Amino acid sequence: PDLSEDFNLSEVGSRIDDKTAVIKATDLPHVSFDDLGGQDSLKEELMAVSMALKKPELYKKWGGAPSKGYILAGPPGVGKTLAARILAGNVDAAFYDVNLAEIFTMWYGKSSQNIDKVFSVAYDNRPSVIFFDEIDALASTRDQSSHEESVRVISVILKRMSDLKPQDGVLVLAATNRLEAVDPAFLRPGRIDKIINVPMPDEKGRRQIFEIYRQKAEKLADRKVFIDVDWELVSSRAEKMSGAEIAEVVRRTLEEKIRQELKGKKPDSVSTRDLLAQIDSYERRGVSRRIGF
């Protein structure tokens, strides 16, 4: 979208495809903490975070202040973005998914204005969660090579986060797989109060993730699709796979059955062998990108 034109965030409502990529919690796909497989410690953290937005009176009772910001740090595909959406849905908050590629424009000063508007509208529609995915692409460490407009955007974020009060009902949540690349000023307490590490799932976690996608597939199909699967073996062979990669393995396994049926064959139910074949042939790929000037 062309962000050179002025836009009014308050008019965006729940349209996901608008210029600001603002999403209301009521328009999010129905997800719960149960959908976050393999991340028990993360779920526990987020449940505690949600209480700050749902029961602020408890903090007042004890004279304490909730955190204003958290950053989820971990490799790609481990559920950081999903966790942010689950959190917003759990507290029935407005969810502002800031699309960094759309925030930056070629027009001088507009990028920083766009960021400023996001904070203003989030404040006006409390309780709310502002989510910055791939924050390292936006709030990267500033040096002499940094473009002036990128520095202005970071400065606006830092100022607006400092201006937020713990009782305001606005939570800033960020995610990154390159924590070392994030500006230290962004990470300091008072802006980002806690860094939550989101690791790759262990074998138990991978088993949970496979179970989540098995249930989803069989619910959609309204029948048993996976029969006689050695899930312990499958989970073990999926070592070093993220939740997103496991989801893709399951998707490809089911797609292969569909292709067989399209060719006039009568494929059997999904077996251990089918899943292992997709795991063994899965190609891993890494993507690194920087957004801005």
Side-chain angles (χ1 to χ4, degrees), residues 23-258:
I23 306 173
K24 296 293 185 182
T26 52
D27 297 309
L28 294 173
H30 180 66
V31 287
S32 69
F33 286 113
D34 293 335
D35 294 297
L36 196 59
Q39 297 293 349
D40 292 340
S41 60
L42 175 59
K43 285 192 285 189
E44 188 175 328
E45 285 278 5
L46 293 181
M47 287 178 181
V49 172
S50 68
M51 297 307 294
L53 293 172
K54 294 172 74 172
K55 295 186 178 294
E57 65 275 9
L58 291 180
Y59 285 86
K60 183 178 180 180
K61 177 182 177 180
W62 289 96
S67 296
K68 296 191 299 182
Y70 294 84
I71 187 165
L72 308 178
V78 293
K80 300 186 296 294
T81 303
L82 175 62
R85 296 193 173 201
I86 290 173
L87 174 63
N90 187 60
V91 298
D92 194 23
F95 183 70
Y96 297 84
D97 190 350
V98 182
N99 189 322
L100 303 184
E102 294 175 356
I103 285 296
F104 280 100
T105 80
M106 62 180 289
W107 304 100
Y108 182 81
K110 290 295 293 184
S111 302
S112 53
Q113 289 179 26
N114 292 343
I115 285 288
D116 197 56
K117 287 182 179 180
V118 171
F119 276 89
S120 296
V121 174
Y123 184 85
D124 291 340
N125 293 277
R126 297 166 287 173
S128 57
V129 176
I130 302 174
F131 179 59
F132 293 102
D133 200 1
E134 296 183 338
I135 189 63
D136 53 277
L138 176 62
S140 56
T141 302
R142 292 167 288 181
D143 53 37
Q144 292 181 347
S145 64
S146 300
H147 192 280
E148 180 183 355
E149 187 66 3
S150 293
V151 173
R152 285 168 60 91
V153 168
I154 297 171
S155 297
V156 170
I157 293 176
L158 297 181
K159 183 180 185 306
R160 292 305 299 257
M161 289 184 68
S162 295
D163 289 345
L164 286 175
K165 296 181 177 59
Q167 298 81 11
D168 282 344
V170 178
L171 179 70
V172 176
L173 198 60
T176 182
N177 61 344
R178 297 173 61 240
L179 186 63
E180 71 283 355
V182 181
D183 195 309
F186 179 82
L187 295 174
R188 76 156 175 82
R191 292 186 179 121
I192 293 297
D193 296 314
K194 190 169 186 179
I195 298 172
I196 301 176
N197 291 309
V198 188
M200 293 285 281
D202 57 16
E203 186 169 341
K204 177 184 175 183
R206 295 192 298 273
R207 176 67 184 88
Q208 291 176 356
I209 296 168
F210 273 115
E211 178 62 18
I212 288 171
Y213 288 102
R214 179 197 69 79
Q215 291 180 3
K216 287 185 176 182
E218 293 187 341
K219 181 179 180 180
L220 181 62
D222 195 25
R223 67 184 181 90
K224 281 284 214 180
V225 175
F226 301 82
I227 296 179
D228 196 26
V229 174
D230 186 342
W231 291 109
E232 289 188 8
L233 175 60
V234 170
S235 301
S236 177
R237 287 279 285 276
E239 186 180 9
K240 297 182 180 179
M241 278 192 160
S242 67
E245 290 173 322
I246 290 174
E248 178 61 13
V249 163
V250 174
R251 190 199 68 79
R252 291 184 186 186
T253 303
L254 298 174
E255 185 179 54
E256 178 60 29
K257 296 295 182 180
I258 294 168

Side-chain angles (χ1 to χ4, degrees), residues 253-284:
T253 303
L254 298 174
E255 185 179 54
E256 178 60 29
K257 296 295 182 180
I258 294 168
R259 289 179 177 179
Q260 291 176 17
E261 193 157 332
L262 288 173
K263 292 178 181 178
K265 300 179 181 180
K266 294 183 178 180
D268 296 327
S269 300
V270 176
S271 66
T272 304
R273 189 180 201 177
D274 296 321
L275 288 162
L276 293 180
Q278 292 299 330
I279 291 172
D280 291 342
S281 64
Y282 188 84
E283 73 288 352
R284 290 185 174 85

